[in-house]
Amino acid sequence: MRIAESFDGDGVSGGEWLSTRGTDSDIVISSRVRLARNVRAHRFAVKADAEQRRAIEEELRYALGRVDFDEEMVYLDLEKASPIDAEMLVERHLVSRELARGEGPRAALFAPSETVCVMVCEEDHLRLQVLRSGFELDAAWRIADDLDDRIARRVDYAFSSRYGYLTCCPTNVGTGLRASVMLHLPALVYSKHIEKVFQAGSKMNLAVRGLYGEGTQALGDFYQISNQVALGLSEADVLERLNRVVPQFIDYERRLRQALLDGDRARLEDRIWRAYGVLRAARTITSEETLELLSAIRLGVNLGLLPSELTIESVNELFITSQPAHLQKLSAGKMEPRVRDVARANLLRKKLGAL
Amino acid sequence: MSDKCERCNERPATVHLTDILENHEKQVRHLCEECAASEQDGPVELMGMLSSAFTPAESVKDPSGLRCDECGLGYMEFRARGRLGCPQCYEVFRASLEPLLEKIHGGSQHVGKAPDESSAVDRSRERRLVELRRDLQASVREERYEEAARLRDELTRFEAEEAGEASAEPSVAAVAADADASDATPDATSDVGEGDAGESGSDDADR
């Protein structure tokens, strides 16, 4: 384990999960499994004072340093890291906003491939996350389960036979598991059918959220579907439910994409080509507009409507690298939003080939 | 602590609520338990569940005076925030928690994973209990009632034993000491840093 105080993952590429290797990756961007764990002998973070929090972080840093991982892990001390570096981890979906913008001793332990990340001293002492490209929940669970076993050899978890893994918030107690998939559903949005996803989700006891998790907007037509129940269901049952429901959403999106092509191809092509045109010509552009236009381009590439040299992988990457913290890291310094919008337009023109 | 509650300006502020505002700015407010409990703008979803789960009918004894002696969390603060303070809170607030857990999850007993035999501390009994419960759930689902009855009896017996021994549970250090250093997995390619030189057994002192 290497201890770091700054994030030096190169600003250009993202994690392995941005690749399109996984199943159904035209629609499913990534599959994620998160496990909430706490140390038995300590208070949860909300009730721990500064000194106790420091003790927890130090203990966990020591214990995690002795866990046998498959890759050499980076332990990023977020108390010492710059806010831009912390925000980059949020944009790469490695850590939550709460952890990045929090205070006091806290850290992110991640593999260089960015498939695995452990948040230290978030709401729970440990939050293990595994991220995979495409619809690969079972594979993500197997890795998380194994990672959890390895950490359990070094950390005495708060666990009770009655309630399972004890967590700060009663919504997570039990398995501490949240399994989620990030879906790109532009056709459902364009056809105004997205409400049905929300309705179906709530009927199946699944949560539907925006791009960065709880309480965030569905920017760029991205939606996260995840389980809400953590107690009284086994991990296998939770995964089974998602594995049953998500393919229906995928199928629905695919059928609507075809319907858009069959119904009014000219209008769909116009929408996609205009987005492509703006992104290749703009001199200043906000991150919201970028997400919206990149979403159209992503759909265009998947439907084979745009030049073939444009790949899904490169579009996926632009979703990350055009975000504020990534732009600031690239330019090596803090930038005002107005300056950032110019830098973003420059980046997009460079990557997509200026008009 | 001498800080007074921001709202009533009388009682000591023991609850520290962090709100995330629209613009992602954080705002921390320091309140007493009473004022915090009357706050309406907490995490709405959970607050709704909390208030309906805590109807007097469900908790015969008034829980408002309950307090966890491990972390100091009071019942009213738990109600205001919807967060627990430490592992022990689950036992302290058990009577109020169970209806809440039922409401959130539709169940109040764990049937998932338990730490395996390689874990830092021996959890074999807890694991056995969870397994029994999971097998029971499966046998009911699959209508194997004879087996279900047998499992239920075994579970009841096991739980009774557990309850008897609960007080004898040892308090263990958070991080397993080097007890397992000798039987470390053979493929543990030790990425030895400066600090790890003594790992082979010279730091027995802290056991």
Side-chain angles (χ1 to χ4, degrees), chain A residues 1 40 44 59 66 101 123 145 148-149 152-153 156-157 161-163 167-168 170-171 230 232 235, chain B residues 26 70 77 83-85 90 94 98 105 110 113 118 120 123 129 133 137 169 172 174-175 178 191:
Chain A
M1 184 173 91
R40 191 209 300 256
F44 299 144
E59 239 177 69
R66 301 177 65 246
R101 297 172 190 176
E123 181 179 282
D145 184 26
D148 181 46
D149 289 343
R153 286 174 206 150
D156 181 19
Y157 286 150
S161 55
R162 189 178 185 84
Y163 300 124
T167 55
C168 179
T171 54
E235 292 84 354
Chain B
K26 276 193 306 187
E70 188 68 39
E77 185 185 350
R83 296 288 189 279
L84 293 153
Y90 277 90
R94 186 173 185 150
E98 296 233 325
H105 301 283
H110 182 57
K113 180 180 178 177
S118 68
R123 293 296 183 72
L129 245 173
R133 201 179 290 132
Q137 197 185 56
E169 191 176 303
V172 280
V175 175
D178 289 355
D191 46 345

Side-chain angles (χ1 to χ4, degrees), chain B residues 49-72:
Chain B
M49 288 195 208
L50 279 165
S51 50
S52 55
F54 289 125
T55 47
E58 279 164 335
S59 45
V60 185
K61 275 196 292 182
D62 176 19
S64 59
L66 275 180
R67 183 174 294 279
C68 175
D69 60 12
E70 188 68 39
C71 68

Side-chain angles (χ1 to χ4, degrees), chain A residues 121-159:
Chain A
C121 292
E122 210 238 25
E123 181 179 282
D124 294 301
H125 296 150
L126 291 172
R127 289 222 168 158
L128 288 55
Q129 300 190 98
V130 174
L131 208 53
R132 299 281 302 211
S133 155
F135 188 30
E136 301 284 353
L137 274 178
D138 292 328
W141 159 251
R142 280 194 297 274
I143 298 169
D145 184 26
D146 174 55
L147 181 70
D148 181 46
D149 289 343
R150 294 185 196 205
I151 294 176
R153 286 174 206 150
R154 301 296 182 186
V155 179
D156 181 19
Y157 286 150
F159 178 85

Side-chain angles (χ1 to χ4, degrees), chain B residues 71-82:
Chain B
C71 68
L73 182 78
Y75 173 80
M76 298 308 267
E77 185 185 350
F78 163 51
R79 226 187 114 161
R81 282 214 271 202

